Amino acid sequence: MATIQWFPGHMAKAKRQVAEKLRFVDIVFELVDARLPYSSRNPMLDEIIQQKPRIILLNKTDLADPVQTKQWLTYFEARGQLALALNAKDDKSVKQIVPAAKRVLAAKLAREKEKGLRERAIRAMVLGIPNVGKSTLLNHLAGKKIATTGNKPGVTKGQQWLRFGSQLELLDTPGILWPKFEDPAVGKKLALTGAIKDDLLHLDDLALYELEVFRQFYPAGLEERYQLSAEDLSLELPELLLLITKKRGFKDDYERGSELLINELRQGKLGRFTLDRFEEFSE
Ligand code: G4P
């Protein structure tokens, strides 16, 4: 899991390094976690990339609530931004990217053709906060392990291009940006999905938050996994946490119960879920 400590100096450096690389690319692929289409975006990305064409890739859709993902796609579309649902581990899914980039850049490519320029590969860079799947996407596109990123801000290596057939060239190192830290709810969501280290937050706070969300939106996941009744689910949240802890044989060690809940959520054992609820952002 990513360890991030962002300081103002890091942020400024990351921003500058990404900005330097931008002039070499036609388009930016902004990777976000489909379970957090708001919270896993960098708050200053618009300012950083300005008018550069962009595709928002809602990655890890295999883990997200499919109904919410569809709604989020319409959310971005309504704001004039092209977004695609992606599973960076899946061939068919990754193959949508080049045609989509060509659509976004159609006017630019047509102008180049009119000027008699040779047809060329589209140049792109992958950007996103830690853990959204940037390396996985690059590795998958390349068909081998090529991107070892660490979690350094910005683009850390010299500028090298990875070629994917004749149609796409990608900067070999993704741009790593910082998540939104100011909002505590965002911090909890990032920690729950593993984007930031959970020792920044109390495990029981995270587990209580998880129970609150699942009880409201995905009660079946909890009921099935922990053999709970509808009545159990109406307990006060700390009581519910203790009940699950007991059912798992941890007596009243709710720290262990919390850890279990968080791990099982991350392993997908409670089913697919989306923490940023489209309804809350669509007004
Ligand atoms: P980053 O470069 O943006 O920091 O992210 P990275 O590719 O390292 O991916 C972070 C974790 O997310 C990895 O899991 C990776 O396998 C997983 N991942 C990336 N894309 C997808 C996706 O579309 N669906 C699913 N289900 N998982 C995805 P890990 O547990 O850290 O490593 P491992 O399981 O690959 O060993």
Side-chain angles (χ1 to χ4, degrees):
M1 192 194 306
T3 308
I4 343 171
Q5 281 184 299
W6 291 114
F7 301 108
H10 280 158
M11 297 194 190
K13 192 171 172 203
K15 191 177 157 191
R16 198 181 59 240
Q17 287 179 328
V18 168
E20 275 167 13
K21 301 289 177 186
L22 273 177
R23 61 199 164 96
F24 299 112
V25 301
D26 302 299
I27 190 165
V28 165
F29 298 150
E30 179 192 1
L31 243 70
V32 305
D33 186 324
R35 298 167 298 177
L36 306 170
Y38 168 80
S39 304
S40 64
R41 299 188 77 196
N42 175 278
M44 282 162 65
L45 194 69
D46 287 346
E47 192 190 311
I48 296 172
I49 74 168
Q50 304 213 358
Q51 299 310 313
K52 187 65 72 180
R54 162 186 10 182
I55 300 179
I56 300 166
L57 300 171
L58 299 181
N59 191 35
K60 307 196 186 184
T61 33
D62 55 313
L63 304 176
D65 174 343
V67 175
Q68 285 280 319
T69 299
K70 259 197 191 141
Q71 290 173 319
W72 275 105
L73 291 175
T74 62
Y75 170 95
F76 289 116
E77 193 186 329
R79 283 156 184 78
Q81 291 178 314
L82 178 64
L84 298 177
L86 186 74
N87 173 353
K89 295 180 167 185
D90 177 60
D91 260 342
K92 217 169 116 202
S93 182
V94 168
K95 280 193 179 126
Q96 328 162 65
I97 297 176
V98 171
K102 280 188 164 172
R103 282 202 303 280
V104 173
L105 295 171
K108 181 178 182 182
L109 297 174
R111 272 198 308 277
E112 289 184 4
K113 200 172 173 188
E114 265 169 37
K115 283 188 199 157
L117 294 173
R118 235 177 351 122
E119 211 176 310
R120 63 175 179 86
I122 290 171
R123 287 194 202 104
M125 75 184 290
V126 173
L127 277 180
I129 69 166
N131 221 42
V132 286
K134 298 179 296 300
S135 313
T136 307
L137 176 62
L138 286 175
N139 289 332
H140 196 103
L141 277 165
K144 58 185 164 90
K145 196 159 173 54
I146 40 102
T148 44
T149 61
N151 279 309
K152 303 222 176 71
V155 178
T156 50
K157 280 195 256 169
Q159 184 183 304
Q160 285 181 38
W161 297 96
L162 299 166
R163 288 187 68 92
F164 304 106
S166 58
Q167 312 223 45
L168 179 67
E169 288 173 2
L170 274 173
L171 277 178
D172 70 335
T173 315
I176 303 171
L177 297 165
W178 59 97
K180 306 176 177 72
F181 274 126
E182 300 78 19
D183 180 346
V186 169
K188 280 185 197 169
K189 291 174 184 178
L190 289 167
L192 257 187
T193 53
I196 60 176
K197 226 171 139 56
D198 41 18
D199 58 12
L200 297 175
L201 293 152
H202 290 293
L203 282 187
D204 50 335
D205 272 350
L206 285 186
L208 290 172
Y209 181 71
E210 171 181 342
L211 287 175
E212 189 184 352
V213 174
F214 271 72
R215 181 165 77 174
Q216 188 175 358
F217 300 110
Y218 307 108
L222 284 179
E223 283 170 3
E224 279 162 31
R225 184 79 198 157
Y226 304 112
Q227 306 294 305
L228 299 167
S229 65
E231 203 181 322
D232 294 336
L233 284 188
S234 64
L235 288 168
E236 294 286 321
L237 289 171
E239 297 297 323
L240 181 56
L241 174 56
L242 270 176
L243 177 65
I244 294 171
T245 303
K246 284 203 177 80
K247 277 179 174 271
R248 284 301 158 118
F250 302 143
K251 296 200 175 123
D252 56 2
D253 187 351
Y254 64 87
E255 285 282 328
R256 282 183 75 189
S258 301
E259 205 174 333
L260 172 99
L261 271 166
I262 296 164
N263 286 338
E264 297 206 330
L265 165 123
R266 289 185 186 151
Q267 291 156 6
K269 291 185 175 156
L270 301 184
R272 294 166 71 162
F273 64 90
T274 297
L275 297 179
D276 283 341
R277 309 297 302 177
F278 163 79
E279 319 74 83
E280 287 171 30
F281 295 90
S282 58
E283 279 110 40

